Amino acid sequence: MRRATAWFVVVGVAVLGTAGPVSAADGFWVSIASGVAGSSSPTGYQDWWFETPHGPPPVAVTRLGGEGSFEATTGGGSSYFTGAAVPVVLHTTDGYAYLVGGTQPSDLSSSLRRQTAGGQGLATAVPQIAPSVLPANAVSLTADLGDPDSDGTRPLTVAVTDAMSNSLGAGAVSVPDGGWWVIGLGAGLSDTEPTPEPTPSPVPVPTPTSSPVATPEPATGVLLGLGGLAAAGWRMVNRRRTK
């Protein structure tokens, strides 16, 4: 019976030894950038990250408010559409994608630095314009280009929700008059490292020592003394009786 118990212990240790550590969950970056016409340097930029434990999801653009046409781009090609042609689905399983409004600048590296980190390239799937059925695991993206201010600047507000309509983040930038904007979409790891838990210090084990000789309490000494006197007196009385 002892041999069987030892066998199970050995098997259990072997299983625990082969189990690898749990890897960090992947995530997804959404970035918004804007700039003046003719310049590749963004004048406005914002990004946020959300966790995607099941891998990069498809992104369904379900609302795009604003005038003119927009461009959805992946490695498979670019598709032009208007706000009335949504939804537009971008599959980002093997790379990143982006949406552009206005005149696209010649260089988007500053605006898409989150999506291109680590050498990631564009996704291979072609953007789908107005598909009849959306992927069940798609996240929803809405973008609204507001009315111009007195100087022609327009606010661009972007929001992302999951399939259950739970918020996955939102942001906004200001688009200069006649300028451009771009929304970057791609997988990536968070740049915030988790704070490691402190390692508890070992508690020192006291070294066993010999037990000291117990010292009687003062009251105990008095009682012992009275007991001794009483015994001596009793002996003297007995001696007198025997004489």
Side-chain angles (χ1 to χ4, degrees):
M1 192 66 180
R2 291 181 179 175
R3 291 182 179 178
T5 302
W7 173 252
F8 283 122
V9 171
V10 171
V11 172
V13 171
V15 171
L16 291 176
T18 56
V22 178
S23 60
D26 290 336
F28 199 88
W29 282 103
V30 179
S31 63
I32 319 170
S34 60
V36 298
S39 174
S40 298
S41 300
T43 56
Y45 181 85
Q46 189 174 8
D47 60 33
W48 70 89
W49 182 91
F50 60 88
E51 191 177 10
T52 56
H54 303 296
V59 179
V61 182
T62 55
R63 187 176 73 242
L64 196 77
E67 301 87 3
S69 63
F70 312 103
E71 180 182 353
T73 299
T74 64
S78 295
S79 299
Y80 295 87
F81 63 99
T82 63
V86 295
V88 175
V89 177
L90 302 168
H91 295 273
T92 57
T93 305
D94 61 349
Y96 71 94
Y98 60 90
L99 300 166
V100 174
T103 303
Q104 180 175 327
S106 58
D107 182 14
L108 289 173
S109 59
S110 298
S111 302
L112 301 173
R113 58 180 181 268
R114 292 294 193 185
Q115 290 74 29
T116 58
Q120 182 176 218
L122 285 164
T124 57
V126 179
Q128 293 180 287
I129 305 299
S132 56
V133 179
L134 295 179
N137 62 331
V139 298
S140 176
L141 182 146
T142 60
D144 293 289
L145 190 62
D147 296 330
D149 294 337
S150 57
D151 60 353
T153 301
R154 293 172 177 262
L156 175 66
T157 305
V158 178
V160 179
T161 57
D162 64 12
M164 303 300 293
S165 298
N166 298 310
S167 175
L168 296 174
V173 294
S174 295
V175 181
D177 185 17
W180 54 267
W181 56 262
V182 59
I183 301 172
L185 307 164
L189 295 177
S190 172
D191 56 0
T192 303
E193 294 294 334
T195 303
E197 296 183 1
T199 303
S201 302
V203 179
V205 179
T207 304
T209 58
S210 58
S211 301
V213 178
T215 303
E217 296 288 338
T220 305
V222 172
L223 292 175
L224 292 174
L226 292 176
L229 292 175
W234 181 254
R235 290 176 183 174
M236 292 178 64
V237 172
N238 286 340
R239 287 177 183 176
R240 291 177 181 178
R241 290 179 179 178
T242 55
K243 288 182 179 180

Coordinates of all heavy atoms in Angstrom, one line a residue, residues 166-225:
N166 N -20.8 45.9 -24.0 CA -20.0 46.5 -22.9 C -18.9 47.3 -23.5 O -18.3 47.0 -24.5 CB -19.4 45.3 -22.1 CG -20.4 44.5 -21.5 OD1 -21.4 44.9 -20.8 ND2 -20.3 43.1 -21.7
S167 N -18.6 48.5 -22.9 CA -17.6 49.4 -23.4 C -16.2 48.8 -23.3 O -15.8 48.2 -22.3 CB -17.7 50.7 -22.6 OG -16.7 51.6 -23.0
L168 N -15.5 49.0 -24.4 CA -14.1 48.6 -24.4 C -13.2 49.8 -24.6 O -12.0 49.6 -24.9 CB -13.8 47.6 -25.6 CG -14.6 46.3 -25.5 CD1 -14.4 45.5 -26.8 CD2 -14.1 45.5 -24.3
G169 N -13.7 51.0 -24.4 CA -12.9 52.2 -24.4 C -13.4 53.2 -25.4 O -14.2 52.8 -26.3
A170 N -13.0 54.4 -25.2 CA -13.5 55.5 -26.1 C -12.4 56.6 -26.1 O -11.6 56.7 -25.1 CB -14.8 56.0 -25.7
G171 N -12.4 57.4 -27.1 CA -11.5 58.5 -27.2 C -11.9 59.6 -28.2 O -12.9 59.4 -29.0
A172 N -11.2 60.7 -28.2 CA -11.5 61.8 -29.2 C -10.3 62.6 -29.5 O -9.4 62.7 -28.7 CB -12.6 62.6 -28.6
V173 N -10.3 63.1 -30.7 CA -9.2 64.1 -31.1 C -9.9 65.2 -31.9 O -11.0 65.1 -32.4 CB -8.2 63.4 -32.0 CG1 -7.4 62.4 -31.2 CG2 -8.8 62.7 -33.2
S174 N -9.2 66.2 -32.1 CA -9.6 67.4 -32.9 C -9.0 67.3 -34.3 O -7.8 67.2 -34.4 CB -9.3 68.7 -32.2 OG -9.9 68.8 -31.0
V175 N -9.8 67.4 -35.3 CA -9.4 67.3 -36.7 C -9.3 68.7 -37.3 O -10.3 69.4 -37.3 CB -10.3 66.5 -37.6 CG1 -9.8 66.4 -39.0 CG2 -10.5 65.1 -37.0
P176 N -8.1 69.2 -37.7 CA -8.0 70.6 -38.2 C -8.8 70.8 -39.5 O -9.2 69.8 -40.2 CB -6.5 70.7 -38.5 CG -5.8 69.7 -37.7 CD -6.8 68.5 -37.6
D177 N -9.2 72.0 -39.7 CA -10.0 72.3 -40.9 C -9.2 71.8 -42.2 O -8.1 72.2 -42.4 CB -10.2 73.8 -41.0 CG -11.1 74.2 -42.1 OD1 -11.8 73.4 -42.7 OD2 -11.1 75.4 -42.5
G178 N -9.9 71.0 -43.0 CA -9.3 70.5 -44.2 C -8.2 69.4 -43.9 O -7.5 69.0 -44.8
G179 N -8.1 68.9 -42.7 CA -7.1 68.0 -42.3 C -7.5 66.5 -42.5 O -8.5 66.2 -43.1
W180 N -6.8 65.6 -41.8 CA -7.0 64.2 -42.0 C -7.2 63.6 -40.6 O -6.7 64.1 -39.6 CB -5.9 63.5 -42.8 CG -4.6 63.8 -42.2 CD1 -3.7 64.8 -42.6 CD2 -3.9 63.1 -41.2 NE1 -2.5 64.8 -41.8 CE2 -2.6 63.7 -41.0 CE3 -4.2 62.0 -40.4 CZ2 -1.7 63.2 -40.0 CZ3 -3.3 61.5 -39.4 CH2 -2.1 62.2 -39.3
W181 N -7.7 62.3 -40.6 CA -7.7 61.5 -39.4 C -7.5 60.1 -39.7 O -7.8 59.7 -40.9 CB -9.0 61.7 -38.6 CG -10.3 61.4 -39.4 CD1 -11.1 62.4 -40.0 CD2 -10.9 60.2 -39.6 NE1 -12.2 61.7 -40.6 CE2 -12.1 60.4 -40.4 CE3 -10.6 58.9 -39.2 CZ2 -12.9 59.3 -40.8 CZ3 -11.4 57.8 -39.6 CH2 -12.6 58.1 -40.4
V182 N -7.0 59.3 -38.8 CA -6.8 57.9 -39.0 C -7.1 57.1 -37.7 O -6.8 57.6 -36.6 CB -5.4 57.6 -39.5 CG1 -4.4 58.0 -38.5 CG2 -5.2 56.1 -39.8
I183 N -7.8 56.0 -37.8 CA -8.1 55.1 -36.7 C -7.3 53.8 -36.9 O -7.5 53.1 -37.9 CB -9.6 54.8 -36.6 CG1 -10.4 56.1 -36.4 CG2 -9.9 53.9 -35.4 CD1 -11.9 55.9 -36.5
G184 N -6.4 53.5 -36.0 CA -5.6 52.3 -36.1 C -6.2 51.1 -35.3 O -6.6 51.4 -34.2
L185 N -6.1 49.9 -35.8 CA -6.7 48.8 -35.2 C -5.8 47.6 -35.3 O -5.5 47.2 -36.4 CB -8.1 48.4 -35.8 CG -9.1 49.5 -35.9 CD1 -10.2 49.1 -36.9 CD2 -9.7 49.8 -34.5
G186 N -5.3 47.1 -34.2 CA -4.4 45.9 -34.2 C -4.0 45.3 -32.9 O -4.1 46.0 -31.8
A187 N -3.7 44.1 -32.9 CA -3.3 43.3 -31.7 C -2.0 43.8 -31.1 O -1.1 44.3 -31.8 CB -3.3 41.8 -31.9
G188 N -1.8 43.6 -29.8 CA -0.6 44.0 -29.2 C -0.7 43.7 -27.7 O -1.8 43.6 -27.1
L189 N 0.5 43.7 -27.0 CA 0.5 43.5 -25.6 C 0.5 44.9 -24.9 O 1.0 45.9 -25.4 CB 1.8 42.8 -25.2 CG 1.9 41.3 -25.7 CD1 3.2 40.7 -25.3 CD2 0.7 40.5 -25.1
S190 N 0.0 44.9 -23.7 CA 0.0 46.1 -22.9 C 1.4 46.5 -22.6 O 2.2 45.7 -22.3 CB -0.9 45.9 -21.7 OG -0.8 47.0 -20.8
D191 N 1.6 47.8 -22.5 CA 3.0 48.3 -22.1 C 3.1 48.6 -20.7 O 4.0 49.1 -20.2 CB 3.3 49.6 -22.9 CG 2.3 50.7 -22.7 OD1 1.3 50.4 -22.0 OD2 2.5 51.8 -23.3
T192 N 2.0 48.2 -19.9 CA 2.0 48.4 -18.5 C 2.3 47.0 -17.8 O 1.5 46.1 -17.9 CB 0.7 48.9 -17.9 OG1 0.4 50.1 -18.6 CG2 0.7 49.1 -16.4
E193 N 3.5 46.9 -17.2 CA 3.9 45.6 -16.6 C 3.1 45.5 -15.2 O 3.0 46.5 -14.5 CB 5.4 45.6 -16.3 CG 6.2 45.6 -17.6 CD 6.0 44.3 -18.4 OE1 5.6 43.3 -17.8 OE2 6.1 44.3 -19.6
P194 N 2.6 44.3 -14.9 CA 2.0 44.1 -13.6 C 3.0 44.3 -12.5 O 4.1 43.9 -12.6 CB 1.4 42.7 -13.7 CG 2.3 42.0 -14.7 CD 2.7 43.1 -15.7
T195 N 2.5 44.8 -11.4 CA 3.4 45.0 -10.2 C 3.5 43.6 -9.5 O 2.6 43.0 -9.1 CB 2.7 46.0 -9.2 OG1 2.5 47.2 -9.9 CG2 3.6 46.2 -8.0
P196 N 4.8 43.2 -9.4 CA 5.0 41.8 -8.8 C 4.6 41.9 -7.3 O 4.9 42.9 -6.6 CB 6.5 41.6 -9.0 CG 7.1 42.9 -9.1 CD 6.0 43.8 -9.8
E197 N 4.1 40.8 -6.8 CA 3.8 40.7 -5.4 C 5.0 40.5 -4.6 O 5.9 39.8 -5.0 CB 2.8 39.5 -5.1 CG 1.5 39.7 -5.8 CD 0.5 38.5 -5.5 OE1 0.9 37.6 -4.7 OE2 -0.6 38.5 -6.0
P198 N 5.1 41.2 -3.4 CA 6.3 41.0 -2.6 C 6.5 39.6 -2.1 O 5.6 38.9 -1.7 CB 6.1 42.0 -1.5 CG 4.6 42.2 -1.4 CD 4.1 42.0 -2.8
T199 N 7.8 39.1 -2.1 CA 8.1 37.8 -1.6 C 8.2 37.9 -0.1 O 8.9 38.7 0.5 CB 9.4 37.3 -2.2 OG1 9.3 37.3 -3.6 CG2 9.7 35.9 -1.7
P200 N 7.4 37.1 0.6 CA 7.5 37.1 2.1 C 8.8 36.7 2.6 O 9.4 35.8 2.1 CB 6.3 36.2 2.5 CG 6.1 35.3 1.4 CD 6.4 36.1 0.2
S201 N 9.3 37.4 3.6 CA 10.6 37.0 4.2 C 10.5 35.8 5.1 O 9.4 35.6 5.7 CB 11.1 38.2 5.1 OG 11.2 39.3 4.4
P202 N 11.5 34.9 5.0 CA 11.4 33.7 5.8 C 11.3 34.0 7.3 O 12.1 34.8 7.8 CB 12.6 32.9 5.4 CG 13.5 33.9 4.9 CD 12.7 35.0 4.3
V203 N 10.5 33.2 8.0 CA 10.4 33.4 9.5 C 11.5 32.6 10.1 O 11.5 31.4 9.9 CB 9.0 33.1 10.0 CG1 9.0 33.2 11.5 CG2 8.0 33.9 9.3
P204 N 12.4 33.2 10.9 CA 13.5 32.3 11.6 C 12.9 31.4 12.6 O 12.0 31.7 13.3 CB 14.4 33.4 12.3 CG 13.5 34.6 12.5 CD 12.5 34.6 11.3
V205 N 13.4 30.1 12.6 CA 12.9 29.1 13.5 C 13.8 29.2 14.7 O 15.1 29.1 14.6 CB 13.0 27.7 12.8 CG1 12.6 26.6 13.8 CG2 12.2 27.7 11.6
P206 N 13.2 29.3 15.9 CA 14.1 29.4 17.1 C 14.8 28.1 17.4 O 14.3 27.0 17.2 CB 13.1 29.7 18.2 CG 11.8 29.2 17.7 CD 11.8 29.4 16.2
T207 N 16.1 28.2 17.9 CA 16.9 27.0 18.2 C 16.4 26.4 19.5 O 16.4 27.2 20.5 CB 18.4 27.4 18.2 OG1 18.7 28.0 17.0 CG2 19.2 26.1 18.5
P208 N 16.1 25.1 19.6 CA 15.6 24.6 20.9 C 16.8 24.6 21.9 O 17.9 24.3 21.6 CB 15.2 23.2 20.5 CG 16.0 22.8 19.3 CD 16.1 24.1 18.5
T209 N 16.5 25.0 23.1 CA 17.4 25.0 24.2 C 16.9 24.2 25.4 O 15.7 23.9 25.5 CB 17.7 26.5 24.7 OG1 16.4 27.1 25.0 CG2 18.3 27.3 23.5
S210 N 17.8 23.9 26.4 CA 17.3 23.2 27.6 C 16.4 24.0 28.4 O 16.6 25.3 28.5 CB 18.6 22.7 28.4 OG 19.3 23.8 28.7
S211 N 15.5 23.4 29.1 CA 14.5 24.2 29.9 C 15.2 24.7 31.1 O 15.9 23.9 31.8 CB 13.3 23.3 30.3 OG 12.7 22.8 29.1
P212 N 15.1 26.0 31.4 CA 15.7 26.5 32.7 C 15.0 25.9 33.9 O 13.9 25.5 33.9 CB 15.5 28.0 32.5 CG 14.3 28.1 31.7 CD 14.3 27.0 30.7
V213 N 15.8 25.9 35.0 CA 15.2 25.5 36.3 C 14.2 26.5 36.8 O 14.5 27.7 36.8 CB 16.3 25.3 37.4 CG1 15.7 24.9 38.7 CG2 17.3 24.3 36.9
A214 N 13.0 26.0 37.1 CA 11.9 26.9 37.5 C 12.2 27.5 38.9 O 12.6 26.8 39.8 CB 10.6 26.1 37.5
T215 N 12.0 28.8 39.0 CA 12.2 29.5 40.2 C 10.9 29.6 40.9 O 9.9 30.2 40.3 CB 12.8 30.9 40.0 OG1 14.1 30.7 39.3 CG2 13.0 31.6 41.3
P216 N 10.7 29.2 42.2 CA 9.4 29.2 42.8 C 9.0 30.7 43.0 O 9.8 31.6 43.2 CB 9.6 28.5 44.1 CG 11.0 28.6 44.4 CD 11.7 28.5 43.1
E217 N 7.7 30.9 42.9 CA 7.1 32.2 43.2 C 7.3 32.5 44.7 O 7.4 31.6 45.5 CB 5.6 32.2 42.9 CG 5.3 32.0 41.4 CD 5.7 33.2 40.6 OE1 5.8 34.3 41.2 OE2 5.9 33.1 39.4
P218 N 7.3 33.8 45.1 CA 7.4 34.2 46.5 C 6.3 33.6 47.4 O 6.6 33.1 48.5 CB 7.3 35.7 46.5 CG 7.8 36.1 45.1 CD 7.3 35.0 44.2
A219 N 5.1 33.6 46.9 CA 4.0 33.0 47.7 C 4.2 31.5 47.9 O 4.0 31.0 49.0 CB 2.7 33.3 47.0
T220 N 4.7 30.8 46.9 CA 5.0 29.4 47.0 C 6.1 29.2 48.0 O 6.0 28.2 48.8 CB 5.4 28.8 45.6 OG1 4.4 29.1 44.7 CG2 5.7 27.3 45.7
G221 N 7.1 30.0 48.1 CA 8.2 29.8 49.1 C 7.7 30.0 50.5 O 8.0 29.3 51.4
V222 N 6.8 31.0 50.7 CA 6.2 31.2 52.0 C 5.4 30.0 52.5 O 5.5 29.5 53.6 CB 5.3 32.5 52.0 CG1 4.5 32.6 53.4 CG2 6.1 33.7 51.8
L223 N 4.6 29.4 51.6 CA 3.8 28.2 51.9 C 4.7 27.1 52.3 O 4.4 26.3 53.2 CB 2.9 27.9 50.8 CG 1.7 28.9 50.5 CD1 1.0 28.5 49.2 CD2 0.8 29.0 51.7
L224 N 5.7 26.9 51.5 CA 6.7 25.8 51.8 C 7.3 26.0 53.2 O 7.5 25.0 53.9 CB 7.7 25.7 50.7 CG 7.2 25.2 49.3 CD1 8.4 25.3 48.3 CD2 6.7 23.8 49.4
G225 N 7.7 27.2 53.4 CA 8.3 27.5 54.7 C 7.3 27.2 55.9 O 7.7 26.6 56.9

